Amino acid sequence: MEPDRRLIDPERVAAAVAGLGDRAVIDEWAARFAVVADPSRLALLVSIHYAREISVTDLAAATGMTDTAVSQALRLLRAHGLVTAHRDGRVVRYRLADATVHELIHHVRPHPDEPAGDGPAR
């Protein structure tokens, strides 16, 4: 913050600066949100969430994507730690690995037996 900058409410500025904390954490979250912001990747995450674990071929069928597109997206989601894979015989199944994404999906697409959240203020 510029030392000679005129502030309207210094206490609120101090609270905002304290809330920001380490800039590296903000950058890390921005990168995670950028990965999730893509509609195809978000559709994959939502599908994985509801299926609990699912193969590439089944994800492709569920989302209307090609197996190749799903595989490429899953590679990125794995690199960011959002999904994990395990082998079940000859089939590789994917599941969510990030608790925050799991909670986010509950807000975006709640299960039918859960009440929808209040959502963002508009």
Side-chain angles (χ1 to χ4, degrees):
M1 184 169 50
E2 301 167 28
D4 59 343
R5 185 173 193 137
R6 182 177 170 273
L7 303 176
I8 294 169
D9 193 341
E11 294 81 21
R12 290 184 191 265
V13 173
V17 169
L20 281 173
D22 183 1
R23 186 60 189 220
V25 173
I26 297 292
D27 293 344
E28 178 186 322
W29 275 98
R32 290 173 80 191
F33 284 131
V35 171
V36 176
D38 176 79
S40 295
R41 291 190 294 260
L42 182 57
L44 291 172
L45 291 169
V46 170
S47 296
I48 293 168
H49 170 77
Y50 279 94
R52 298 181 191 226
E53 59 179 34
I54 188 169
S55 69
V56 169
T57 299
D58 291 346
L59 268 173
T63 59
M65 297 169 64
T66 65
D67 285 16
T68 302
V70 169
S71 292
Q72 289 173 349
L74 287 171
R75 200 171 3 262
L76 182 64
L77 293 171
R78 282 183 74 180
H80 284 272
L82 301 179
V83 299
T84 187
H86 80 283
R87 185 168 292 282
D88 183 14
R90 292 177 20 182
V91 177
V92 177
R93 298 185 195 280
Y94 290 83
R95 65 176 80 140
L96 292 182
D98 186 286
T100 303
V101 169
H102 177 86
E103 289 299 317
L104 179 64
I105 291 170
H106 277 278
H107 291 285
V108 174
R109 299 286 306 148
H111 288 275
D113 58 340
E114 293 176 359
D118 292 335
R122 296 183 189 215

